[in-house]
Amino acid sequence: MNNKHLSLRIVEAFRQVLPADKSSFVPLHEPAFKGREWDYVKECLDTGWVSSVGKYVDRFERDLADYTGSPFAIAVVNGTAALHISLLIAGIQAGDEVLIPSLTFVATANAVSYIGATPHFVDVARDTMGLDPYKLEAYLRDIVHVQSNGQSFNRITGRRIAAVVPMHTFGHSVELDYLVEVCERFGLTIVEDAAESLGTFYKGRHTGTYGKLAAISFNGNKIITTGGGGAILTADENIAKQVKHMTTTAKKPHRWAYDHDQIGYNYRLPNINAALGCAQLEQLPEMLHKKRQLAYRYEAIFAQVEGVEWFKEKEDGSSNYWLNALLLEKPDEQLRNSILDFTNDNGFMTRPIWTPMHRMAIYDHCPRMDLSVTEELELRVINIPSGSDLFHN
Ligand SMILES: *Cc1c(COP(=O)(O)O)cnc(C)c1O
């Protein structure tokens, strides 16, 4: 089959699945405001409570904790800030190494760098597109020296390996059970990058509740949005207090005095963004339902298209299907690019997966394991339109 033929088949499949009235240009993932967004935001404007304090911040945090089953949720200004603070509070220090997938959005690596720590890139599993705990374990056996205090050190670089940051790619959960086991064995803290996985459960438990801390994002392209925003999940009350303190300029509580006991950050989420978030969260179950229906349609239609495979969730997880993905049969940059060009030319927004971190100049000097699955997926994955509004009865 030639390139043109496969591109045509994919566009035909899109035309059958996606609503006709959107045929001008179908975006990859558009936000949908179908609930009480206007009411809640208007209330902020009417009352003047638009900024750093207000009832919607508290409510959003409570609603998030309820939905995810996490004892504590702290709202912050974006997902990157959530990652940054999570790593800080987890005890990562300048000079440490932090194991992260190379196949991720750049924010995961950047948050590690903000602290002065070094990202250490690990490979992903083909069936989750997220960190592969089995390959990680074999690698750690090879390169790590575990000290008597239980801490792991990299025998090659001499640096402490402090933490692992699994990322749940496109809303598909990493194999968390085994990862937790491996990390216990090597004394590694887990900080989850759950930026893409609100609404994703692994063995019945929400992603982001397996790590010591986890970061969620509410950027405009995520499953729900607050315009810009993020949250940190944790089960530890003491950690939750530290997170709140560090994200609100580390100001000591007082009726009028300005006294800050650490160099903190202004990372709190404004009330007006939280208002949007409360309205969005009310609709999350409905959005998840629609996204799943859209995913099933893609599954059915692409089962009939030779040359590509629709990426399906594993049985032990329940994906939020944030972004649907097609996989080419084998890595083929030319074929991938011609499909990207043709689909975008024909009104359907598609995108490749991120350029792996270790292939970018800003991170190509960082330590890494064999990344063959990452490099294979880079040239196989194509993301396709996935917004919840694209499903129509
Ligand atoms: C979106 C995203 C982030 C960052 O979130 P922002 O809210 O945009 O700062 C971090 N990691 C991953 C994997 C993401 O997809």
Side-chain angles (χ1 to χ4, degrees):
M1 183 158 37
N2 64 34
N3 291 2
K4 188 65 187 244
H5 184 71
L6 181 55
S7 296
L8 266 169
R9 290 295 315 270
I10 291 172
V11 164
E12 275 168 22
F14 286 158
R15 292 212 169 107
Q16 288 182 53
V17 170
L18 300 170
D21 58 313
K22 286 234 182 180
S23 60
S24 46
F25 192 76
V26 182
L28 197 66
H29 200 287
E30 249 188 344
F33 303 114
K34 298 285 168 64
R36 288 192 261 192
E37 287 86 357
W38 283 96
D39 296 341
Y40 293 174
V41 170
K42 184 171 185 302
E43 193 193 323
C44 294
L45 298 174
D46 288 343
T47 59
W49 290 102
V50 295
S51 192
S52 45
V53 283
K55 68 171 193 185
Y56 283 114
V57 175
D58 298 335
R59 181 181 150 188
F60 190 45
E61 291 178 341
R62 267 196 322 272
D63 290 353
L64 276 172
D66 282 350
Y67 179 79
T68 58
S70 171
F72 303 96
I74 303 94
V76 295
V77 76
N78 59 50
T80 309
L83 276 170
H84 179 197
I85 293 296
S86 294
L87 291 167
L88 263 182
I89 302 295
I92 315 309
Q93 294 175 356
D96 285 342
E97 288 181 11
V98 176
L99 299 159
I100 71 168
S102 179
L103 199 64
T104 187
F105 178 60
V106 72
T108 322
N110 287 350
V112 173
S113 304
Y114 297 162
I115 297 178
T118 303
H120 184 149
F121 299 120
V122 299
D123 208 8
V124 293
R126 214 176 264 98
D127 59 354
T128 65
M129 291 202 253
L131 199 148
D132 181 342
Y134 301 93
K135 194 162 175 176
L136 176 67
E137 180 186 28
Y139 180 62
L140 290 174
R141 282 216 174 111
D142 221 30
I143 65 140
V144 153
H145 166 69
V146 184
Q147 284 193 343
S148 51
N149 63 6
Q151 293 201 332
S152 276
F153 282 77
N154 184 331
R155 279 198 266 119
I156 301 144
T157 63
R159 293 188 286 239
R160 179 173 79 129
I161 301 183
V164 180
V165 185
M167 193 280 282
H168 307 297
T169 308
F170 307 146
H172 297 284
S173 169
V174 164
E175 195 173 329
L176 284 161
D177 269 4
Y178 199 64
L179 181 66
V180 167
E181 241 182 270
V182 171
C183 289
E184 272 168 11
R185 211 168 306 148
F186 287 91
L188 302 171
T189 301
I190 298 178
V191 173
E192 289 179 71
D193 183 342
E196 304 180 355
S197 69
L198 182 70
T200 296
F201 292 78
Y202 174 76
K203 297 195 174 168
R205 228 170 99 186
H206 199 280
T207 51
T209 63
Y210 286 80
K212 191 168 187 176
L213 300 104
I216 299 179
S217 167
F218 306 110
N219 189 34
N221 63 344
K222 297 301 201 291
I223 188 158
I224 66 165
T225 185
T226 58
I232 293 170
L233 303 183
T234 182
D236 184 322
E237 184 169 10
N238 199 30
I239 287 179
K241 282 186 182 145
Q242 287 178 57
V243 166
K244 195 72 182 175
H245 190 60
M246 278 307 266
T247 53
T248 53
T249 66
K251 183 180 177 297
K252 285 165 80 175
H254 191 281
R255 282 175 62 201
W256 40 258
Y258 295 101
D259 189 9
H260 305 260
D261 59 10
Q262 286 178 75
I263 299 176
Y265 297 84
N266 179 17
Y267 276 178
R268 73 186 110 198
L269 185 72
N271 197 50
I272 193 165
N273 299 86
L276 206 48
C278 289
Q280 288 267 284
L281 203 51
E282 287 174 354
Q283 298 162 79
L284 181 58
E286 174 67 16
M287 288 185 190
L288 286 167
H289 171 75
K290 286 186 183 168
K291 288 172 84 73
R292 182 159 286 272
Q293 297 309 312
L294 177 66
Y296 289 154
R297 285 191 181 167
Y298 277 139
E299 179 176 28
I301 203 101
F302 284 109
Q304 295 160 32
V305 179
E306 215 178 297
V308 290
E309 173 197 328
W310 172 80
F311 191 81
K312 190 179 171 65
E313 69 188 346
K314 278 184 69 187
E315 326 74 60
D316 53 8
S318 165
S319 175
N320 66 5
Y321 280 115
W322 171 55
L323 278 190
N324 284 276
L326 296 178
L327 261 71
L328 302 178
E329 269 170 359
K330 49 183 189 305
D332 186 337
E333 189 167 14
Q334 216 192 343
L335 175 60
R336 184 198 68 171
N337 294 352
S338 70
I339 292 171
L340 288 167
D341 277 336
F342 191 79
T343 46
N344 281 284
D345 285 347
N346 281 277
F348 298 99
M349 186 168 166
T350 56
R351 284 286 179 270
I353 200 166
W354 314 280
T355 300
M357 298 301 107
H358 70 285
R359 296 218 311 100
M360 295 195 289
I362 51 173
Y363 287 119
D364 66 1
H365 58 282
C366 293
R368 60 183 192 242
M369 67 154 77
D370 166 75
L371 297 169
S372 47
V373 179
T374 297
E375 286 173 354
E376 175 198 315
L377 287 174
E378 183 195 1
L379 302 180
R380 287 182 68 194
V381 173
I382 293 172
N383 285 120
I384 61 178
S386 299
S388 56
D389 266 4
L390 297 178
F391 172 74
H392 286 212
N393 280 314

